[in-house]
Amino acid sequence: MNAQHLQPTGSAYFIAKETERPENHTLSVLVDNEPGVLARVIGLFSGRGYNIESLTVSETEHEKHLSRITIVTRGTPHVLVQIKHQLERIVPVHRVVDLTVRSHEFGQERPLERELALVKVAGTGEARVEALRLADAFRASVIDANTEHFIFEITGKGTKIDQFIAIMKPLGLIEICRTGVAALNRGPQAM
């Protein structure tokens, strides 16, 4: 059977060169803060079969009515360039910067990325004491507590939050809420 018949046709991931390996990249997109813009950006990703690992949106320049969308996506270098060019063609988009590529240009491994998570853990006795001890080691703050549960607030790289969640599972993890990645490049330059 021909290999072309086995490949899905709706995703751009299958048109990439076979020698390219998928990578995670963080994109920063400056857009007009108006209804429908986020839907158009997300529609571009879903319509072409691109996956979004993380999505964060907020107004960043109130006077100019501009919002910043931070997207972590995965693809081959060829697909990532396509995504950037397609985002640039959406009318209310002012600028698209691949922060991962930009950080390499500045001699850095990755952009500065942080995430916030709220983690609810229930427990009593030794499990409760251990959850508090480990939260302190991870610099997680208790923002709500009673005799049956804690809600911790933790910020940091996604890997730090993943580790914290993994160690809280056996101690009574109940619920998690994560914000998604906020990212900037180091140095005096703007995006």
Side-chain angles (χ1 to χ4, degrees), residues 78-129:
H78 176 73
V79 168
L80 292 163
V81 168
Q82 279 187 328
I83 290 171
K84 183 176 181 282
H85 289 312
Q86 290 166 356
L87 282 170
E88 289 170 336
R89 287 196 289 260
I90 296 176
V91 173
V93 170
H94 292 271
R95 187 149 190 224
V96 180
V97 174
D98 186 331
L99 295 177
T100 306
V101 169
R102 179 71 59 87
S103 65
H104 292 302
E105 290 171 357
F106 295 149
Q108 301 153 0
E109 187 177 334
R110 300 241 356 123
L112 184 60
E113 298 176 341
R114 292 294 181 265
E115 188 174 356
L116 178 133
L118 301 177
V119 180
K120 187 185 292 185
V121 179
T124 57
E126 285 299 314
R128 185 176 177 86
V129 172

Side-chain angles (χ1 to χ4, degrees), residues 2 5 7 9 15 17 21 65-66 72 82-83 92 97 112 116 124 133-134 137 150 157 164 166 168-169 171:
N2 188 334
H5 295 356
Q7 296 176 349
T9 57
I15 62 171
K17 299 172 187 164
R21 297 179 148 243
H65 302 289
L66 295 177
V72 178
Q82 279 187 328
I83 290 171
V97 174
L112 184 60
L116 178 133
T124 57
R133 187 186 70 74
L134 290 167
F150 291 106
K157 293 181 180 180
F164 183 72
M168 288 296 153
K169 281 183 182 175
L171 299 175

